[in-house]
Amino acid sequence: MKKLHMLFAMVLYMLFHSAWAAPVGWYDLKATWRDGTFDGQFYYDSSASTHVTAVQGTLVDLVRTVAIDRVWNLGQDEPQPWIFLSNTNPADPGGHDAGFYLTLVDLGTSLTLDLAGMNGLYDWSDWDVYNPGQLDDSPLLSFSIVQATAVPEPASAMLLLCGLAGLLALRRQRAVNG
């Protein structure tokens, strides 16, 4: 009986945990700053230290159009409340020269941005535009974050299925034993 209670508690914990975290998966992001726009996707995982583990999309600003394909924070020792999404600069291996900050807020069933946090756009590729302050922390004007696909996390789904199978096996064994 004690094992059954533990199994039931684990199932309840999983349901409670999944109900209070935004779903894991890809999210579409459309963002507009004073001096540019981004259209693309990022992968959100509430159990990861940076929460965003991948990004793909296009940044168009006053200077150029560039592919954003890198989560800069992944290599940092200390997690930050913000994420910096950037390009991969072939002229500077391991470096970048354009990107933007996002300060995500997990609302439980969806994601939004903390508008008081860091959400600025930067492009250091053209000093004449960057230097006067144009692309040095261009302010965010609008954004849209929508979950791209609702796919359950495989580990959680597998644990839930194993638990249900265990409960069914226990019930069947009790029915056979009388």
Side-chain angles (χ1 to χ4, degrees), residues 121-136:
L121 168 67
Y122 293 83
D123 190 335
W124 300 280
S125 65
D126 185 333
W127 184 253
D128 293 332
V129 177
Y130 174 76
N131 193 28
Q134 278 301 115
L135 288 172
D136 178 20

Side-chain angles (χ1 to χ4, degrees), residues 47-72:
S47 64
S49 62
T50 61
H51 300 299
V52 174
T53 58
V55 62
Q56 58 191 22
T58 304
L59 174 66
V60 179
D61 64 35
L62 294 175
V63 178
R64 64 193 172 140
T65 299
V66 65
I68 300 297
D69 58 2
R70 185 169 162 210
V71 180
W72 182 78

Side-chain angles (χ1 to χ4, degrees), residues 65-137:
T65 299
V66 65
I68 300 297
D69 58 2
R70 185 169 162 210
V71 180
W72 182 78
N73 299 60
L74 287 177
Q76 302 301 306
D77 293 334
E78 293 291 321
Q80 300 294 330
W82 44 264
I83 305 298
F84 188 72
L85 305 174
S86 65
N87 70 323
T88 300
N89 183 357
D92 179 15
H96 56 269
D97 58 12
F100 53 91
Y101 288 94
L102 292 179
T103 306
L104 289 171
V105 177
D106 187 336
L107 297 176
T109 58
S110 63
L111 296 172
T112 191
L113 294 180
D114 177 358
L115 297 178
M118 295 178 66
N119 297 304
L121 168 67
Y122 293 83
D123 190 335
W124 300 280
S125 65
D126 185 333
W127 184 253
D128 293 332
V129 177
Y130 174 76
N131 193 28
Q134 278 301 115
L135 288 172
D136 178 20
D137 197 16

